[in-house]
């Protein structure tokens, strides 16, 4: 049986990083974390875009519908500032929302900072793609992914996506015994 190479979208939503004011450390943190977690082959589709809801929606649709990403991980635009619209863009393109992801990420983040309650991370499904919104700070990205990633490979399995194999010494994917 030939295993399908997973395509994973990485989207950094940041006015300043997209304008070149500073380097996108958050997108790099997601890629580094996924490289640390995954032993199966995967390919990243990376995008760096400003906080513009129509562009975020367009990018998410493109990564799901045209690029065939099984997973899209966004960073940035989840706070209470007026330009933070990543959750709204995600909800606009998703068929169904997965609120447990945001709940768990906020619970995990509250162990480190009391302002975690200001974050509006969420997740949802579009077709055969899982979209997860992460905060914009690289340290918070790892904390949030450590909390939710054990459920991600099984979610992708349930959507008939590629089999994501994890480095069990780093993170254990939960798959029910058949």
């Amino acid at each position: 049986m030939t295993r399908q190479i997973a395509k994973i979208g990485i989207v950094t939503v940041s006015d300043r990083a997209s304008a070149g004011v500073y380097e996108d450390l958050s997108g790099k943190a997601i890629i580094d974390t996924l490289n640390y977690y995954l032993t199966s082959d995967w390919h990243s589709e990376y995008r760096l875009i400003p906080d513009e809801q129509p562009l975020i929606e367009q990018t998410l649709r493109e990564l799901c519908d045209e690029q065939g990403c099984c997973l899209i991980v966004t960073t940035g635009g989840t706070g209470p500032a007026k330009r933070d619209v990543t959750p709204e863009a995600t909800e606009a393109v998703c068929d169904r929302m997965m609120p447990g992801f945001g709940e768990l990420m906020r619970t995990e983040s509250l162990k480190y900072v009391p302002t975690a309650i200001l974050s509006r991370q969420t997740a949802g499904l579009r077709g055969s793609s899982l979209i997860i919104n992460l905060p914009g700070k690289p340290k918070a990205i790892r904390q949030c992914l450590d909390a939710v990633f054990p459920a991600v490979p099984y979610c992708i399995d349930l959507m008939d996506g590629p089999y994501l194999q994890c480095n069990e010494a780093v993170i254990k994917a939960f798959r029910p015994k058949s």
Side-chain angles (χ1 to χ4, degrees):
M1 174 176 148
T2 305
R3 293 236 190 243
Q4 181 183 359
I5 294 178
K7 270 192 182 180
I8 300 177
I10 314 295
V11 181
T12 298
V13 179
S14 169
D15 287 333
R16 291 178 288 172
S18 66
V21 173
Y22 57 72
E23 183 183 357
D24 173 24
L25 299 177
S26 300
K28 183 180 181 321
I30 293 170
I31 292 169
D32 290 347
T33 300
L34 293 176
N35 279 327
Y36 188 58
Y37 288 172
L38 295 172
T39 58
S40 53
D41 290 331
W42 69 283
H43 168 76
S44 69
E45 288 289 337
Y46 170 78
R47 306 290 186 273
L48 173 57
I49 60 175
D51 292 271
E52 298 290 343
Q53 186 169 342
L55 182 57
I56 300 167
E57 290 177 24
Q58 175 188 345
T59 301
L60 294 175
R61 282 192 299 271
E62 182 244 333
L63 290 171
C64 293
D65 305 346
E66 296 168 33
Q67 297 300 324
C69 293
C70 63
L71 173 64
I72 299 163
V73 184
T74 73
T75 177
T78 61
K82 288 181 181 177
R83 292 196 49 81
D84 290 336
V85 293
T86 304
E88 287 77 11
T90 299
E91 289 178 28
V93 302
C94 284
D95 306 315
R96 296 175 289 162
M97 297 308 295
M98 303 289 287
F101 281 85
E103 293 164 7
L104 182 56
M105 289 187 281
R106 277 183 292 283
T107 299
E108 183 63 21
S109 295
L110 278 168
K111 295 175 185 174
Y112 304 97
V113 293
T115 54
I117 60 171
L118 301 177
S119 189
R120 300 177 310 113
Q121 301 106 283
T122 192
L125 307 173
R126 177 180 176 90
S128 297
S129 304
L130 169 62
I131 302 170
I132 303 173
N133 299 154
L134 297 177
K137 301 268 186 270
K139 191 174 186 180
I141 287 168
R142 179 61 188 270
Q143 292 163 352
C144 289
L145 279 176
D146 281 352
V148 301
F149 203 83
V152 169
Y154 184 55
C155 183
I156 306 273
D157 292 349
L158 291 172
M159 296 186 306
D160 298 322
Y163 190 84
L164 297 179
Q165 184 70 44
C166 293
N167 178 346
E168 293 280 320
V170 172
I171 198 154
K172 292 186 188 318
F174 178 81
R175 288 183 167 101
K177 304 273 188 252
S178 25

